[in-house]
């Protein structure tokens, strides 16, 4: 059974940092591009960014709203992807999901709350 | 940034057919937008139903199909079931950036 498990969410003050993880089991993460998607309480889904495969030199792309603040990385040897979030703002409050693009798999999400 | 539009809400009768659409502010949606469709029920993560316009997964019920229709991406549900009541989201790829639509709340009534 394929599972993606996000972790690392929590409460952080504005301006703070947080690093999320997405651990995969039941598949080889290195075969998939990895996306991070977030969903605020307003329910709209927002794409955060993507990291490509080794064959794409792990190229990353980000939404304008997070570019320069968020960094996506991956460690295929650990079957894990990461989302480093810096300079967090209240608008970053959301449930963060990892998603494997064409593979179709989603994690269950982890909640990030940015508040003083 | 492009804006992706979906119907805010639709209602379908059990056993009926309904088409949800996904449009782009930049113009006609083509296969180059690599449209995806997702289903989300309350308290759950999204579930991908359709990828790259019309491709299904092993878990996608046969009653769902994806296409391009009238300049938009479309998700057609033929033979609606009560369990199909959910929020449906699409996304389009615009110049390397993914943009989600606002979602369609589908009621089966």
């Amino acid at each position: 059974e394929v599972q993606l498990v996000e972790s690392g969410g929590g409460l952080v003050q504005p301006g703070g940092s947080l690093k999320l993880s997405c651990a995969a089991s039941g598949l080889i993460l290195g075969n998939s591009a990895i996306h991070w998607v977030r969903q605020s309480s307003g329910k709209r889904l927002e794409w955060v960014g993507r990291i490509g495969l080794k064959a794409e030199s792990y190229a990353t792309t980000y939404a304008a709203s997070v570019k320069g603040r968020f960094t996506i990385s991956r460690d295929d040897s650990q079957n894990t992807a990461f989302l480093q979030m810096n300079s967090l703002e209240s608008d970053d409050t959301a449930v963060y999901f990892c998603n494997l693009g064409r593979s179709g798999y989603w994690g269950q999400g982890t909640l990030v709350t940015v508040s003083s | 940034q492009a804006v992706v539009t979906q119907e805010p809400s639709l209602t379908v009768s059990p056993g009926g057919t309904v088409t949800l659409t996904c449009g782009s502010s930049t113009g006609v949606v083509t296969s180059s937008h690599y449209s995806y469709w997702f289903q989300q029920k309350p308290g759950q993560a999204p579930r991908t139903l359709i990828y790259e316009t019309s491709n299904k997964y092993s878990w996608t019920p046969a009653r769902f199909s994806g296409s391009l229709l009238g300049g938009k991406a479309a998700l057609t549900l033929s033979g609606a079931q009560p369990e199909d009541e959910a929020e449906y989201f699409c996304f389009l790829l615009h110049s390397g950036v993914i943009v989600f639509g606002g979602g369609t709340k589908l009621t089966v009534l």
Side-chain angles (χ1 to χ4, degrees):
Chain A
E1 181 194 5
V2 174
Q3 271 199 314
L4 299 177
V5 178
E6 299 94 337
S7 60
L11 175 64
V12 61
Q13 292 189 338
S17 297
L18 213 55
K19 187 172 185 177
L20 307 183
S21 299
C22 171
S25 60
L27 57 71
I28 298 172
L29 197 64
N31 293 336
S32 297
I34 300 161
H35 299 255
W36 285 92
V37 175
R38 66 187 182 184
Q39 186 170 38
S40 63
S41 59
K43 85 168 170 49
R44 187 176 186 121
L45 291 170
E46 181 185 11
W47 178 76
V48 172
R50 169 194 187 271
I51 186 166
L53 306 173
K54 181 179 180 180
E56 304 169 67
S57 301
Y58 303 123
T60 53
T61 317
Y62 299 94
S65 59
V66 306
K67 196 170 185 178
R69 300 187 299 123
F70 289 14
T71 302
I72 299 174
S73 60
R74 62 192 298 164
D75 184 339
D76 291 341
S77 68
Q78 294 187 33
N79 239 26
T80 303
F82 304 96
L83 176 64
Q84 176 68 48
M85 304 184 293
N86 299 329
S87 303
L88 284 161
E89 307 164 352
S90 57
D91 284 349
D92 297 318
T93 295
V95 176
Y96 285 74
F97 299 97
C98 60
N99 163 265
L100 297 194
R102 184 187 288 183
S103 301
Y105 297 109
W106 290 76
Q108 85 291 345
T110 185
L111 176 62
V112 172
T113 303
V114 183
S115 175
S116 53
Chain B
Q1 177 175 283
V3 175
V4 175
T5 55
Q6 297 182 246
E7 298 86 0
S9 63
L10 289 170
T11 300
V12 62
S13 300
T17 296
V18 64
T19 297
L20 290 65
T21 67
C22 180
S24 172
S25 61
T26 63
V28 173
V29 175
T30 70
S31 59
S32 298
H33 288 93
Y34 295 95
S35 55
Y36 278 60
W37 289 94
F38 310 91
Q39 178 193 66
Q40 188 177 33
K41 296 181 179 180
Q44 297 183 14
R47 179 173 75 144
T48 312
L49 294 177
I50 300 290
Y51 70 98
E52 295 173 7
T53 304
S54 59
N55 298 288
K56 298 182 184 183
Y57 296 93
S58 58
W59 57 76
T60 305
R63 58 186 180 275
F64 288 96
S65 62
S67 66
L68 297 175
L69 193 65
K72 299 181 180 181
L75 176 71
T76 299
L77 171 57
S78 303
Q81 301 296 310
E83 61 265 29
D84 298 329
E85 185 162 298
E87 192 87 23
Y88 291 84
F89 294 93
C90 69
F91 80 53
L92 302 176
L93 183 66
H94 285 87
S95 303
V97 173
I98 288 173
V99 183
F100 278 93
T104 296
K105 179 169 175 53
L106 181 66
T107 301
V108 181
L109 189 61

